[in-house]
Amino acid sequence: VTDDRPLRADARRNRERLLAAADHAFRRHGVNASLDDIARAAGVGIGTLYRHFPTRDDLILALVAADLDRVAALADEYADRTDALERWLDELVRHTIAYRGLAEAVVAATDSPTALGACCDRVHGAGARLVRREQQRGTLRSDADPDDVIDLANAIAWLTEGERSPRRRRRLLRLAIDGLRATAA
Amino acid sequence: VTDDRPLRADARRNRERLLAAADHAFRRHGVNASLDDIARAAGVGIGTLYRHFPTRDDLILALVAADLDRVAALADEYADRTDALERWLDELVRHTIAYRGLAEAVVAATDSPTALGACCDRVHGAGARLVRREQQRGTLRSDADPDDVIDLANAIAWLTEGERSPRRRRRLLRLAIDGLRATAA
DNA sequence: ACCTGAACACCGTTCAAGT
DNA sequence: ACCTGAACACCGTTCAAGT
């Protein structure tokens, strides 16, 4: 559906500036940072921001898509390790807290027919495959819903976003994973 | 610190109307519903809303304080049951999803020096006592941080708020609790 | 003592006018 | 083809004026 004609030189430059300004603003104020401020910081009219990124989610997606797709790819890389799930979930959460409010945006987008939604679904799907793999291997209780596992990781990301120390995040993930490795009731 | 002089008749009536309108709006649109709309629905000037409830949290608190304190009290009632924790956490989550956005408000308020924060801390404390009780009884792994347990329940509330069916909420709580009952690594 | 609503600041979104 | 910014709608918060 995307039109891949190369952008005009000024458009391309504006796009880059907007992304840099958005990344800066998102780091500072979370993904709900003022779009006006971002356009101003990029030295661009607010209309130009909307032309390049019609919705806030489009802007978020442009900044995190590459990262998230890399995380999805890691799921297959880790598949044969005995600690596959803990390694991968930690990686997932680490990237889901890049900006304050990102975890909420990810959960809201999942299963919704937007570009960000499609990206989140790819990550979700890769994680679910990893869970099923471990279940077939017998290292994970088989009655757990693979989707629940990813959702729980996202909930932990939401809870711990903005914390500089990874300690609580790690403890909570450990708790969740221990539940998954426990034998079913 | 509170001044307990009875309110003037019209003030008391306005307060009741505001609470009813806020409850209605919060149910419909979540705790971030427009304050203007609430004042209008209550047939009251916006200034009157601010006089009675200087912050949004004060309004939220007035609506949920009784419920949350009842939940806190339940922790002691349940203390001696073998399924104390699952029963109580389910109760906690059920009340934390009364309005969309409430879980977020609760987590944000916890440990902060506001009236809502104090209320959340009471619930948090009651839950943590329950966890420690089970740990002493040996029914819960002793290396789990009691605070983490409550936080995880709040995260699950956040994740499942707005869902009419309690199924996913129950599954996720079950997962978390199984992790807590599992033997430490 | 309490209520009112205008005033201000801020933000998101659209679109007519420009190049 | 792309950019600009004024215009509109909406919301939160304060405060001078009223009873």
Side-chain angles (χ1 to χ4, degrees), chain B residues 33-36 46-47 50 56:
Chain B
S34 157
L35 297 178
D36 253 304
I46 181 64
Y50 274 92
R56 188 181 290 271

Side-chain angles (χ1 to χ4, degrees), chain A residues 12-90:
Chain A
R12 174 162 164 64
R13 202 196 42 183
N14 283 339
R15 206 188 117 92
E16 293 308 321
R17 284 189 183 173
L18 280 165
L19 286 174
D23 177 64
H24 188 251
F26 284 2
R27 280 185 203 283
R28 243 182 134 71
H29 303 111
V31 297
N32 293 313
S34 157
L35 296 178
D36 253 304
D37 286 350
I38 292 172
R40 199 175 310 121
V44 146
I46 182 64
T48 301
L49 186 154
Y50 274 92
R51 160 165 267 264
H52 285 280
F53 309 102
T55 72
R56 187 181 290 272
D57 274 4
D58 290 323
L59 190 51
I60 296 174
L61 176 70
L63 286 169
V64 303
D67 265 5
L68 289 188
D69 281 333
R70 208 171 300 126
V71 171
L74 277 180
D76 297 326
E77 273 189 47
Y78 289 171
D80 291 326
R81 307 178 64 122
T82 58
D83 60 348
L85 195 63
E86 28 268 87
R87 283 200 149 251
W88 190 77
L89 287 183
D90 187 62

